[in-house]
Amino acid sequence: MTMATLPTYTHLLVDVKPIADTNRTVGWVQLNRPKAYNALCNSLMVELASALALLDNDPNVGAIVVTGNDKAFAAGADITELASQSAMDMHRTNPIGDWEAITHCKKPTIAAVNGFALGGGCELMMMCDMAIVGMGAKFGQPEVTIGVIPGAGGTQRLTRAIGKARAMQLTLTGQTFSGEEAYAMGLVSQVVADDEVVPTALALAETIAQKPAMAIQAAKQAINQAAETTLSAGLQVERHLFHLSFASADKTEGMAAFREKRPPVFTHH
């Protein structure tokens, strides 16, 4: 897939970035509603689901970076859309349904976060597999301050990531916290200077994209199971995927290269 074959989006900038001296690429999705601090309106989330599916199905894409701009990853859901909605409207249309698209990606997803990641923005970041965040980033689940609660996984993913007590305090007060605090709590994978967020995320994506695709997908699936099931059930999934990995051509190449003391040449099959 090339830029020429990518659709044009209203609220996103989408690209595939080639990795030098390989046939591998990194998917790039940038939320692009700067005047609204990348507020997550329904049409943006529909576009995001479409773009992620396109990149996920491209065999050359090895990882996907999702980012915003210097001022905001995403400042939250679009309150102008939600203010007039009734309980029945929300139940009937289920606008949050499209938000889960990022969790369905088989490829690893990396959030690159500067500025505000509040409410739905924080939830969107938590749906990604990893997050590289700037020291100046601001996180929070402030929904209670406008009379509702998080509805896109905030109460569930935040609790699993940082524990009940801290999730309870942050969600019930709506207070914000910094990138360094997010890292200390285990919510994000790395905190760097603000101007290093995007380069660091891209470098991480390139590193992952060059690893054997089948093994990366299996490892992601197994790790996700760890958060969603018992230890014994998770171990069964891991063992099953471990056995399946022995069917890949990259397993044969990787072990041969190790024994022959040479760099492996993976075909991602």
Side-chain angles (χ1 to χ4, degrees):
M1 183 168 58
T2 66
M3 276 297 293
T5 61
L6 285 168
T8 300
Y9 296 97
T10 302
H11 301 307
L12 303 175
L13 300 175
V14 182
D15 196 3
V16 285
K17 298 182 179 295
I19 301 173
D21 302 320
T22 76
N23 65 350
R24 305 293 283 163
T25 61
V26 168
W28 172 266
V29 181
Q30 183 173 4
L31 310 184
N32 190 36
R33 293 187 73 203
K35 292 182 180 179
Y37 286 82
N38 291 331
L40 302 172
C41 62
N42 289 341
S43 55
L44 183 154
M45 298 309 294
V46 170
E47 288 187 352
L48 181 60
S50 172
L52 290 170
L54 190 67
L55 295 170
D56 202 32
N57 290 323
D58 185 330
N60 293 325
V61 171
I64 302 169
V65 174
V66 180
T67 192
N69 56 45
D70 291 344
K71 292 184 178 180
F73 176 69
D78 193 328
I79 304 304
T80 59
E81 285 187 344
L82 296 177
S84 62
Q85 300 297 298
S86 69
M88 289 305 298
D89 292 332
M90 295 297 288
H91 182 71
R92 183 182 69 256
T93 62
N94 187 27
I96 303 298
D98 287 315
W99 293 44
E100 292 292 318
I102 197 164
T103 67
H104 300 155
C105 285
K106 300 182 293 294
K107 312 272 175 75
T109 54
I110 303 168
V113 181
N114 271 317
F116 296 111
L118 303 175
C122 189
E123 290 172 307
L124 182 63
M125 180 201 73
M126 289 190 289
M127 292 179 194
C128 294
D129 298 314
M130 293 156 277
I132 307 298
V133 309
M135 292 181 181
K138 291 294 181 185
F139 303 91
Q141 298 293 160
E143 287 87 348
V144 295
T145 65
I146 58 170
V148 294
I149 70 168
T155 63
Q156 304 303 300
R157 291 189 176 95
L158 189 64
T159 302
R160 284 165 169 77
I162 68 174
K164 176 186 172 181
R166 284 185 293 192
M168 192 75 76
Q169 179 175 336
L170 292 171
T171 304
L172 270 57
T173 62
Q175 70 189 74
T176 62
F177 51 98
S178 69
E180 290 182 313
E181 289 173 311
Y183 178 73
M185 289 186 284
L187 184 61
V188 303
S189 47
Q190 192 173 351
V191 58
V192 298
D194 292 352
D195 60 358
E196 290 297 317
V197 168
V198 168
T200 302
L202 283 172
L204 176 60
E206 289 190 3
T207 296
I208 292 170
Q210 294 177 79
K211 298 294 189 293
M214 299 294 288
I216 291 294
Q217 181 178 331
K220 171 175 171 168
Q221 182 179 344
I223 292 169
N224 281 335
Q225 284 294 311
E228 298 175 5
T229 190
T230 63
L231 175 60
S232 60
L235 288 170
Q236 289 182 4
V237 170
E238 180 190 73
R239 195 65 47 81
H240 173 67
L241 292 169
F242 172 66
H243 292 164
L244 283 180
S245 70
F246 277 68
S248 71
D250 283 340
K251 169 265 175 185
T252 303
E253 166 62 12
M255 292 192 176
F258 178 84
R259 295 175 65 190
E260 295 164 14
K261 296 181 172 56
R262 60 172 176 83
V265 180
F266 294 123
T267 60
H268 307 285
H269 293 96

